[in-house]
Amino acid sequence: MRSNLTLVGTFWAFLSLVTAVASSTSYFLPYWLFGSQLGKTVSFSTFRRCNYPVRGEGHSLIMVEECGRYASFSAIPSLAWQMCTVVTGAGCALLLLVALAAVLGCCMEELISRMMGRCMGAAQFVGGLLISSGCALYPLGWNSPEVMQTCGNVSNQFQLGTCQLGWAYYCAGGGAAVAMLICTWLSCFAGRNPKPAMLVESIMRNTNSYAMELDHCLKP
């Protein structure tokens, strides 16, 4: 299939897809932060958690070993994590949208021009910036009671205590950095400028189509 993408543009489309999938997958997986509670490993993301304590018989605490999201947005442990959820989710959605358009550009002619590629690169920069902002906001929630119970009651903002950052946090931040720096730069060389002959042909085709529709409408 013919495409307006250059060889660099094809690589950009592939890298955009990988980056968007990696960032979005990391956003949904509850492996941003690891700690322990009642002898069990506990992990968090921004809006999900694995393993949590409940009251058992005799009012003793027992750990339920399962993963799930918080029951409501307001149940997320801190305002910082609520903001992180919204900002990071918006960035992932933007990266996925651009990646989908870039992949379609590999199969469809005249979908991505040089200017369109640059505009999509700008959108990727914004998406990466949003995810990076979410990663920066995440440590502000480490002083919430729920996190402190998991981190030895010594965690605070930007202080992990006995906890440690998980691979999903690094994957989300790495995806954001690739989108902002590499994908944005590659997008400047992704599309070809339309050739004058192709441009004239496109204009003539659109003009003829408009003339035929107008003639059809004017016929009694």
Side-chain angles (χ1 to χ4, degrees), residues 6 12 68 84 113:
T6 62
W12 163 73
C84 181
S113 63

Side-chain angles (χ1 to χ4, degrees), residues 35-42 49-56 59-65 146-153 162:
S36 63
Q37 190 172 359
L38 299 179
K40 301 292 184 181
T41 300
V42 178
R49 171 177 177 155
C50 284
N51 304 339
Y52 54 90
V54 296
R55 293 284 180 184
H59 301 287
S60 61
L61 287 176
I62 60 174
M63 292 296 292
V64 177
E65 298 185 50
E146 189 170 330
V147 176
M148 291 182 68
Q149 291 170 6
T150 306
C151 299
N153 290 312
T162 59

